[in-house]
Amino acid sequence: MNKICVTILFGDYDNLKEPTVITKGWEYIVISDREHKSDVWKTKLLKDLNLTNKRKTGYVITQVHKLLDYDVCLMVGAQIQINTDLDKYIYDDNFVALDHPSRDCIYTEAMACIMLNKDNPKLIASAIYGYLDAGLPPKSGMIQTGVTIRKNNTLINNFCDYWWLQICKGSHRDQLSFNYANWVYPIDYKVISSNLLNKEFKLFAHSSKNV
């Protein structure tokens, strides 16, 4: 089985975090716009995308199957340090994500993103009104994409292509469009506890305020 662990780092929003636990049989890859010196992470350069850094990140999150060869991909945000055996997170499920600790609805998440200036309010509102018009019910689920695990298969790759289309049409906030994409193109994903961010996958504050 070809197992890869991927992190994404564009611009100066975060610093590369070295894992404290390295799992044998996994390849650790940072996808970035520049080379990184690391004893663990191998750099895959991605320079020719005419997108903002946030949308570049969304592109990699949804299109990693077009960039790398793998059977299983565990992806972590660049603000997260790995402190665990990755083999513990290989599931039978095709896609796994963290639950959201405080919300279960992308509509309330959208309001929070607008209040916190996470993206252009017009882009967020346009996307959300589109979901309402399409009939997406409130409280249709809410995930975090700080840690995801996915299989490389047709079901998941087609879903991710549709998810990327939603990001292109709306907000760069990938969490906002995931559950809408799943409502249209259901993949029966698994949710695991975001408490993992307290230890196994240690969450740090972003290094920069730049978006």
Side-chain angles (χ1 to χ4, degrees):
M1 181 183 290
N2 185 9
K3 300 176 289 187
I4 63 171
C5 177
V6 173
T7 194
I8 308 163
L9 192 51
F10 294 109
D12 61 353
Y13 200 45
D14 289 296
N15 296 318
L16 187 63
K17 309 290 190 299
E18 295 292 325
T20 62
V21 177
I22 301 169
T23 306
K24 185 177 179 180
W26 287 74
E27 185 176 11
Y28 293 74
I29 302 169
V30 53
I31 298 180
S32 182
D33 52 4
R34 63 193 185 278
E35 290 283 352
H36 294 272
K37 292 183 178 180
S38 171
D39 293 331
V40 179
W41 298 101
K42 297 179 181 178
T43 302
K44 178 175 177 60
L45 291 175
L46 191 60
K47 292 183 175 182
D48 299 327
L49 288 177
N50 187 24
L51 300 167
T52 65
N53 287 336
K54 284 293 186 181
R55 289 187 181 273
K56 288 177 184 177
T57 298
Y59 177 82
V60 175
I61 287 172
T62 60
Q63 302 294 287
V64 67
H65 58 282
K66 297 178 180 177
L67 302 173
L68 298 169
D69 180 38
Y70 60 90
D71 297 309
V72 175
C73 174
L74 189 151
M75 189 176 291
V76 297
Q79 77 277 28
I80 293 171
Q81 184 179 47
I82 299 167
N83 303 313
T84 188
D85 181 348
L86 298 184
D87 283 336
K88 292 163 51 178
Y89 302 96
I90 296 179
Y91 300 94
D92 291 334
D93 306 84
N94 284 307
F95 195 99
V96 182
L98 300 177
D99 65 3
H100 196 285
S102 56
R103 284 183 283 279
D104 64 353
C105 179
I106 62 173
Y107 298 128
T108 54
E109 174 73 3
M111 292 301 298
C113 287
I114 289 172
M115 292 176 64
L116 295 171
N117 197 30
K118 293 292 187 178
D119 195 7
N120 185 324
K122 292 182 179 179
L123 289 177
I124 295 175
S126 176
I128 292 303
Y129 285 133
Y131 303 159
L132 279 168
D133 288 343
L136 177 70
K139 297 189 175 182
S140 293
M142 184 72 212
I143 66 156
Q144 293 188 82
T145 54
V147 179
T148 61
I149 307 105
R150 74 194 70 186
K151 302 285 181 63
N152 189 351
N153 60 41
T154 300
L155 174 69
I156 296 305
N157 295 345
N158 287 345
F159 165 80
C160 285
D161 288 343
Y162 186 77
W163 184 15
W164 171 238
L165 177 63
Q166 301 312 305
I167 295 172
C168 291
K169 290 165 56 178
S171 172
H172 67 231
R173 299 290 297 176
D174 50 82
Q175 294 178 178
L176 275 181
S177 50
F178 177 89
N179 285 94
Y180 174 74
N182 182 69
W183 181 67
V184 174
Y185 198 102
I187 57 171
D188 193 26
Y189 66 94
K190 179 182 180 67
V191 174
I192 58 177
S193 174
S194 57
N195 289 334
L196 291 173
L197 296 178
N198 295 327
K199 183 178 180 182
E200 289 92 342
F201 297 93
K202 180 64 175 177
L203 180 66
F204 289 84
H206 290 295
S207 301
S208 170
K209 297 296 184 183
N210 295 331
V211 175

